[in-house]
Amino acid sequence: MKYLILMHIDPAVLENLTDEQQQQIGEGHGAFMATTKENGEFISTQALGDPSRSKVVRSNGARPEVTDGPFVEAKEFMGGFYLLDVEDEARAIELAQMIPDASIPGLAVEIRPVVFSDLGDG
């Protein structure tokens, strides 16, 4: 079963990380990728650009319209994700707890099952 693990970022938290915490995050993600690749659970990961570089395409009722954004009131945004293929939800939770962001107050990871997937591999 495929699960998407979304990493929620709070820029204020990132700005206040110690050098040690920044190193923990970098090394932790490297170890997480190595483990999930070794176990055959890793499909892909992507880090996303800052939301200030986003565009939103939304219908204005007549046609799609492109605006800068998103401009939401939330202080957090999705900073990246892992796509994993695991045995069950319990394993997805176990792996999500290994992501270093889950150990830093103010950051979070979200686990969501994938209900449809086309990875373009054939």
Side-chain angles (χ1 to χ4, degrees):
M1 182 162 196
K2 291 181 179 68
Y3 279 87
L4 188 67
I5 298 178
L6 306 160
M7 291 168 282
H8 295 271
I9 304 298
D10 181 338
V13 171
L14 291 182
E15 289 172 14
N16 291 309
L17 292 178
T18 65
D19 290 341
E20 183 181 323
Q21 287 173 316
Q22 290 175 10
Q23 185 175 351
Q24 264 184 302
I25 287 177
E27 291 173 359
H29 281 283
F32 180 81
M33 287 185 280
T35 297
T36 54
K37 285 178 181 180
E38 188 176 298
N39 294 339
E41 297 167 316
F42 182 91
I43 297 174
S44 69
T45 187
Q46 299 287 315
L48 303 176
D50 190 271
S52 66
R53 298 175 57 201
S54 297
K55 300 292 183 198
V56 175
V57 179
R58 175 179 288 132
S59 173
N60 66 9
R63 61 180 171 69
E65 190 173 85
V66 180
T67 60
D68 289 336
F71 297 107
V72 296
E73 297 300 317
K75 63 182 177 180
E76 293 181 347
F77 62 88
M78 189 171 83
F81 65 86
Y82 286 102
L83 180 59
L84 304 173
D85 190 357
V86 296
E87 184 177 334
D88 55 25
E89 182 182 78
R91 179 62 178 158
I93 292 170
E94 179 183 348
L95 290 172
Q97 292 172 330
M98 293 171 55
I99 295 173
D101 304 47
S103 298
I104 296 177
L107 302 181
V109 298
E110 175 185 348
I111 305 159
R112 192 177 299 181
V114 175
V115 296
F116 172 80
S117 176
D118 181 349
L119 300 174
D121 55 359

